[in-house]
Amino acid sequence: VRGVATGPSCGSRGDGESHRRWKEKALEILAEIQAPLSLLLLRLCNWALLKLLRCLFLSVQLHRGQLETVLRAARTSGVPLVFLSMHKSQLDGPLLSFLLFSQGLGVPRVTVGDQLCSPRLRALLGRLGGIFLPSRMEQTPSDRAEGLPGAVLATYVEEVLRSRQPLLIFLEEPPVALRLSAPARQWLALVYRAVRHGVVPDVLLVPVGIAYDLVP
């Protein structure tokens, strides 16, 4: 991040004032990407989600064999978990996050695509583990590898993997099914870059998903 910020493309002079200015910019970009987790809010939302599920569905079934496979993968030492999922409903993110959290796998960082979110909803999702592409990269995805936003985002993903926080990436955006979305390409490219640069020796890609008799 410092290398990009003090490079000629950012016009930094390398003095104390420039250092303070680009550090503030980096922190602003980081605040766009993620927010500190709130355990109280997580517990409240998990309780509300259970109530909502009882209203929406006759039953919710958990495949024990598949769950055991996920738990076995989580016991692999020294390798971060990256969960990959299709995206059939906007309920998928909270529901998968709740299931993984309830099974002792920690709170996953869940990628939120380019669907429109109000500032309040974005703030709530961030406190529950949602992570977002910086606004400038959402507008110009072709320049994702350039500039300060790209450097901050790449460093953030590296730190998530290095600290072995679970990462959940949705591969598509409803209602467009069976097509890799542009945000998913960016997140996967950042994971690949972290492995290629030796930040982590490897990652474990674990497919997870939810099937609905009728998509809500």
Side-chain angles (χ1 to χ4, degrees), residues 57-71:
F57 304 112
L58 294 175
S59 67
V60 178
Q61 300 174 3
L62 189 61
H63 194 292
R64 290 292 178 183
Q66 293 175 355
L67 176 61
E68 181 55 37
T69 301
V70 172
L71 294 175

Side-chain angles (χ1 to χ4, degrees), residues 33-38 41 109 112 120-132:
I33 297 170
Q34 63 99 49
L37 294 173
S38 169
L41 202 54
R109 289 294 184 171
V112 181
R120 287 185 179 180
L121 179 58
R122 189 173 178 126
L124 173 64
L125 292 176
R127 300 287 280 179
L128 296 175
I131 54 176
F132 303 81

Side-chain angles (χ1 to χ4, degrees), residues 12-87:
S12 176
R13 299 186 301 274
D15 56 16
E17 180 62 24
S18 274
H19 181 277
R20 184 186 60 79
R21 193 163 55 247
W22 71 252
K23 188 174 181 181
E24 288 177 354
K25 283 184 181 178
L27 290 173
E28 288 174 5
I29 295 166
L30 183 60
E32 283 188 48
I33 297 170
Q34 63 99 49
L37 294 173
S38 169
L39 289 179
L40 174 62
L41 202 54
L42 277 164
R43 293 190 178 98
L44 285 173
C45 286
N46 286 341
W47 173 83
L49 182 61
L50 286 173
K51 296 287 187 184
L52 177 64
L53 292 176
R54 291 192 184 101
C55 296
L56 287 178
F57 304 112
L58 294 175
S59 67
V60 178
Q61 300 174 3
L62 189 61
H63 194 292
R64 290 292 178 183
Q66 293 175 355
L67 176 61
E68 181 55 37
T69 301
V70 172
L71 294 175
R72 191 164 58 248
R75 290 192 289 267
T76 306
S77 61
V79 180
L81 291 177
V82 177
F83 297 103
L84 303 178
S85 177
M86 310 298 273
H87 204 181

Side-chain angles (χ1 to χ4, degrees), residues 10 15 21 46 60 89 92-93 109 121 139 152-153 177 191 211:
C10 288
D15 56 16
R21 193 163 55 247
N46 286 341
V60 178
S89 162
D92 288 2
R109 289 294 184 171
L121 179 58
Q139 296 162 6
V152 174
L153 182 63
V191 171

Side-chain angles (χ1 to χ4, degrees), residues 86-90 92 114-115 170 172-177 215:
M86 310 298 273
H87 204 181
K88 301 179 183 297
S89 162
Q90 300 299 343
D92 288 2
D114 54 3
Q115 64 261 32
F170 285 109
E172 58 189 11
E173 289 301 321
V176 181
V215 177

Side-chain angles (χ1 to χ4, degrees), residues 89-138:
S89 162
Q90 300 299 343
L91 270 179
D92 288 2
L95 188 51
L96 279 172
S97 181
F98 166 68
L99 288 173
L100 296 172
F101 178 59
S102 67
Q103 296 302 314
L105 297 177
V107 182
R109 289 294 184 171
V110 183
T111 62
V112 181
D114 54 3
Q115 64 261 32
L116 294 176
C117 289
S118 67
R120 287 185 179 180
L121 179 58
R122 189 173 178 126
L124 173 64
L125 292 176
R127 300 287 280 179
L128 296 175
I131 54 176
F132 303 81
L133 294 173
S135 56
R136 195 181 306 174
M137 293 178 67
E138 288 178 346

